[in-house]
Amino acid sequence: MEINRNTIIKDLIEANPETIVVFKKYNLVIAGGVRGPNEPIAFFAKAHEVDYDTLVKELNEAIEKGVGEHFELPVLVEDRVYQKFVKTAIILTLTVGVTFGAITLSYIAFKLNFNSVYYALIQAHGHAQMYGWLGICIMGFALYIIPRVKNSELKHRSLVNVCYFFIITGIALRVIIQPLPYKPARFLLPVSAIMEATAICLFAFIILRTILSSKEKVGIFDKFFKAGITWFIISTFMNLGMIFHLYKHGLYEVPRHFFSPYIHLYLFGFVFMFIFAINIRTVYAFLDIKPVREKAINLVFLIINISVPIYYITHMLAGKSIIAYRFSQFMALPLAGAFFIFIYGLRVFERSTKELQDVVMDRSYAKTIRAAYIWLIVSAIILVVMSFLGHGTDVQKRFHGSLNHAVTVGFITMMIIGYSSKMIPTFKGVNMYSLRLSNATFILLNFGCFLRVFSQILVGINGKPLFYGVMGTSGWFELAALSLFGYNLWKTINLTQEVKQTATKKLLEITKDTKVFDVVDQYPETLQVFLDFGFNQMANPVMRKTMGRVASIDMATKMHNVDLDKFINAINTKIAEKK
Ligand code: HEM
């Protein structure tokens, strides 16, 4: 198979499995389903920071050498660790998240009054979105991506299901029990927070063990992952404290001076650190731009991790102390500044290096990643303006709601959509189910978010019914966008890799190039012959379906030091016996 810049990795591995050793040397960790990523080689070279010509030279040498006797044909089994997390996050956001949000927004618009809704319900929606949509999505992706960027195996994989069970049970209990005026069930509230804290500590343990077990050199993104995990743990214990406060005092709403700054600690601390880490490691290849400016990125790390705790404490105390209030106003500046410095450091809006311009690949996710950073700029501006609008005033509350939305939908949700549309097809070695649905999602979500963020600001400035009306419609555009995305991603996750239908053709002759899977598939009686000649893995159906589709008779006999002609004779004899 002649190798060129657009050669798809999974096709090359299919044709020449010996090449997998070279890809593994450059950190290809079983990504991309059964046969490797559905990715052009030139893109792989840029994403894995390896010189293209060196890579191709080594690939050709491996093919030249062929499979030697001791060649260990790696078994490529699809790693589905992320799937249940991502699917659950989609279900949660499309139910208690966006659907509830859209209904609430229409009700607020109809009543022309933000305080017309039972606030405990809003907090339940907020928690469902923060932990159920963002939290679970990030946990699922991190469990898949971190072993790959750290070139190590996921540690304590057996604990993942425990972690999953605890986080979804905790969130479900919280969302149901917090607004429920039914005293006998209130004890379930602290139970929910304990279950969430347990899940997040388990997740942190698995991820930190995986990062620390890696022999890879420490990258600039590593500390962002570790800081993100630290803020995830801190915010979940703050959540535990807030819930015990609610339970002890028989309250239904977390006091706003706690809850509002806590939302930003969770978003800027945990969520931003994870997104920034993944962006630092991948955006230069995804957008075909130069690698990051490390000085700027390191400065951002410092500013955000020093500012977030000060931001939280000063905002919490702002209602009680003028000094704290003045400080809280000031804290918006370094945070907003850090967002701009990160965009500069990441080079998001800079010209492409054109290194991959000759490479044919789906780049539809690129506009989504850039749109997310435009919303981060909008968020930074609202953050600064909001801080000078008078603490606790109605107009400031409206700006606060707009900021939350610009950050959670415009930046974070957009980023999740952009990355999952790129990574999940790569994980699976397939194409996104529908590019048309991806484009519709992009337009509807940006339009809905634009309507929400700016109409809510205008509601805060002059409260005209028209602006309430526009705001009330925005949630339905966002619901349509996330429904299309959820359907598109769900279909992509359920796609099985298209297997070259080579087998359909009836095998009339067994040759050295025949795939071992096809022989047994069409002549099951030959399985015993394989076993007699020592091909023990053939007893395992998964091995037959994975390795068997890749290995030819020639390859298998070479690896097991079996006489090719003698083996082919034995197979043909067995088949003839049956006729
Ligand atoms: C995409 C469609 C969404 C709609 C229609 C929606 C709707 C709403 C509404 C009507 C409110 C109450 C009014 C306000 O405080 O602004 C609210 C609050 C909130 N939403 Fe959403 N939301 C959406 C997405 C999200 C997402 C993705 C998150 C992310 C984590 C989120 C987190 C929150 C939080 C934390 C609050 C409470 C804010 C506070 O109490 O200060 N929402 N949402």
Side-chain angles (χ1 to χ4, degrees):
M1 180 172 186
E2 195 261 329
I3 300 177
N4 63 51
R5 292 171 56 76
N6 280 299
T7 302
I8 298 293
I9 294 175
K10 75 175 173 135
D11 297 343
L12 181 61
I13 291 174
E14 171 134 347
N16 303 93
E18 56 273 23
T19 57
I20 191 91
V21 181
V22 180
F23 287 119
K24 285 198 114 178
K25 176 182 164 195
Y26 293 112
N27 296 358
L28 175 69
V29 182
I30 321 174
V34 175
R35 271 190 188 56
N38 189 23
E39 222 164 55
I41 284 189
F43 177 85
F44 175 87
K46 177 149 187 172
H48 292 255
E49 298 165 324
V50 52
D51 172 64
Y52 172 76
D53 297 328
T54 315
L55 176 65
V56 172
K57 181 169 161 292
E58 289 184 23
L59 288 169
N60 282 324
E61 280 163 7
I63 294 171
E64 208 63 44
K65 204 161 123 250
V67 291
E69 191 175 334
H70 302 298
F71 179 79
E72 193 48 45
L73 189 67
V75 176
L76 299 180
V77 175
E78 186 176 351
D79 184 351
R80 300 164 190 249
V81 67
Y82 62 94
Q83 293 192 359
K84 56 178 171 290
F85 288 86
V86 172
K87 285 184 173 179
T88 308
I90 291 171
I91 294 170
L92 281 170
T93 199
L94 288 182
T95 50
V96 284
V98 183
T99 308
F100 169 83
I103 295 167
T104 311
L105 210 51
S106 300
Y107 184 76
I108 290 170
F110 175 70
K111 289 280 185 183
L112 300 176
N113 176 4
F114 264 85
N115 302 316
S116 58
V117 180
Y118 173 35
Y119 189 54
L121 274 175
I122 300 265
Q123 287 191 340
H125 152 85
H127 188 80
Q129 292 281 58
M130 286 162 67
Y131 281 70
W133 167 234
L134 306 187
I136 291 184
C137 249
I138 290 175
M139 288 166 88
F141 280 120
L143 290 165
Y144 186 97
I145 293 170
I146 290 181
R148 278 150 189 87
V149 292
K150 294 307 295 171
N151 196 18
S152 67
E153 291 300 318
L154 183 66
K155 293 291 172 205
H156 311 289
R157 191 179 275 267
S158 58
L159 292 176
V160 169
N161 286 341
V162 183
C163 171
Y164 173 75
F165 168 75
F166 272 82
I167 193 76
I168 59 166
T169 315
I171 293 168
L173 282 177
R174 168 67 177 275
V175 171
I176 297 165
I177 303 296
Q178 181 182 348
L180 193 72
Y182 181 62
K183 284 222 166 356
R186 299 294 291 173
F187 76 95
L188 289 171
L189 215 45
V191 172
S192 78
I194 292 167
M195 291 187 91
E196 288 169 348
T198 310
I200 290 161
C201 291
L202 272 177
F203 168 75
F205 171 67
I206 296 169
I207 293 294
L208 284 175
R209 286 276 288 129
T210 303
I211 292 176
L212 298 173
S213 70
S214 164
K215 297 190 182 43
E216 280 303 294
K217 69 179 181 358
V218 174
I220 185 173
F221 56 86
D222 273 79
K223 55 179 177 286
F224 284 82
F225 277 133
K226 291 173 186 159
I229 289 168
T230 311
W231 285 117
F232 202 13
I233 294 172
I234 291 172
S235 43
T236 197
F237 280 97
M238 289 169 74
N239 177 57
L240 196 63
M242 291 192 288
I243 288 303
F244 270 91
H245 173 81
L246 243 65
Y247 180 63
K248 190 159 161 257
H249 302 283
L251 300 172
Y252 288 84
E253 300 167 6
V254 177
R256 281 182 201 235
H257 67 278
F258 273 132
F259 191 67
S260 295
Y262 157 78
I263 296 169
H264 293 161
L265 180 138
Y266 181 92
L267 297 175
F268 301 152
F270 159 53
V271 180
F272 273 34
M273 285 295 124
F274 263 84
I275 288 181
F276 286 179
I278 302 276
N279 281 184
I280 294 163
R281 179 62 188 79
T282 56
V283 151
Y284 69 95
F286 283 17
L287 301 183
D288 192 11
I289 51 180
K290 287 189 194 144
V292 300
R293 294 186 174 92
E294 297 214 351
K295 277 209 189 79
I297 298 292
N298 286 328
L299 179 61
V300 168
F301 181 82
L302 278 179
I303 297 174
I304 292 187
N305 287 294
I306 293 169
S307 307
V308 164
I310 303 172
Y311 177 97
Y312 176 78
I313 295 162
T314 52
H315 271 73
M316 206 184 48
L317 301 173
K320 299 193 181 80
S321 135
I322 185 66
I323 298 168
Y325 172 52
R326 289 280 170 249
F327 233 106
S328 73
Q329 284 183 305
F330 168 75
M331 285 317 298
L333 299 172
L335 271 174
F339 301 161
F340 281 104
I341 299 170
F342 188 77
I343 291 169
Y344 165 73
L346 203 63
R347 304 174 186 271
V348 183
F349 298 112
E350 287 181 20
R351 254 182 236 290
S352 159
T353 60
K354 298 205 180 318
E355 280 170 39
L356 297 176
Q357 67 176 352
D358 63 324
V359 176
V360 181
M361 55 186 266
D362 160 28
R363 287 184 174 85
S364 61
Y365 55 84
K367 64 180 183 296
T368 314
I369 294 173
R370 288 204 168 98
Y373 276 101
I374 292 171
W375 281 111
L376 186 63
I377 293 170
V378 171
S379 308
I381 297 167
I382 301 174
L383 178 63
V384 173
V385 174
M386 171 187 98
S387 301
F388 298 94
L389 291 175
H391 183 71
T393 56
D394 260 1
V395 64
Q396 199 219 26
K397 281 187 189 148
R398 296 297 81 81
F399 271 69
H400 184 267
S402 292
L403 170 67
N404 279 350
H405 212 72
V407 168
T408 56
V409 176
F411 177 59
I412 302 172
T413 298
M414 199 72 73
M415 191 61 77
I416 289 176
I417 291 176
Y419 263 74
S420 39
S421 307
K422 162 66 187 150
M423 288 192 144
I424 290 193
T426 303
F427 296 173
K428 289 190 61 72
V430 297
N431 295 319
M432 193 66 179
Y433 176 71
S434 161
L435 281 185
R436 203 178 295 164
L437 288 179
S438 295
N439 292 331
T441 297
F442 177 79
I443 295 163
L444 284 166
L445 193 65
N446 277 297
F447 182 61
C449 195
F450 176 84
L451 288 184
R452 171 71 187 275
V453 170
F454 293 101
S455 62
Q456 187 156 334
I457 285 173
L458 291 168
V459 162
I461 294 168
N462 79 8
K464 272 212 185 108
L466 169 68
F467 300 133
Y468 269 106
V470 173
M471 185 188 74
T473 64
S474 65
W476 302 106
F477 289 104
E478 293 168 321
L479 178 58
L482 282 163
S483 307
L484 293 178
F485 164 71
Y487 173 75
N488 199 3
L489 199 68
W490 200 288
K491 288 290 252 182
T492 306
I493 290 175
N494 291 354
L495 273 178
T496 49
Q497 198 169 79
E498 65 283 345
V499 176
K500 294 219 167 27
Q501 296 305 337
T502 50
T504 47
K505 242 182 351 342
K506 185 73 182 151
L507 284 176
L508 303 172
E509 188 207 4
I510 306 296
T511 69
K512 69 180 181 62
D513 298 319
T514 312
K515 300 288 180 192
V516 293
F517 169 81
D518 301 341
V519 178
V520 178
D521 186 47
Q522 293 194 25
Y523 303 102
E525 66 277 15
T526 59
L527 178 58
Q528 194 48 49
V529 180
F530 278 91
L531 299 176
D532 295 347
F533 276 78
F535 298 104
N536 304 329
Q537 296 129 311
M538 288 298 283
N540 171 343
V542 176
M543 294 296 271
R544 274 206 304 275
K545 277 209 187 74
T546 52
M547 185 196 69
R549 285 184 197 275
V550 175
S552 64
I553 297 262
D554 179 38
M555 222 174 288
T557 51
K558 273 204 186 106
M559 281 166 12
H560 292 262
N561 199 11
V562 168
D563 180 285
L564 176 65
D565 297 334
K566 209 158 148 229
F567 180 67
I568 288 185
N569 274 345
I571 292 281
N572 285 331
T573 315
K574 191 69 180 179
I575 293 172
E577 267 171 23
K578 196 81 186 300
K579 286 192 179 139

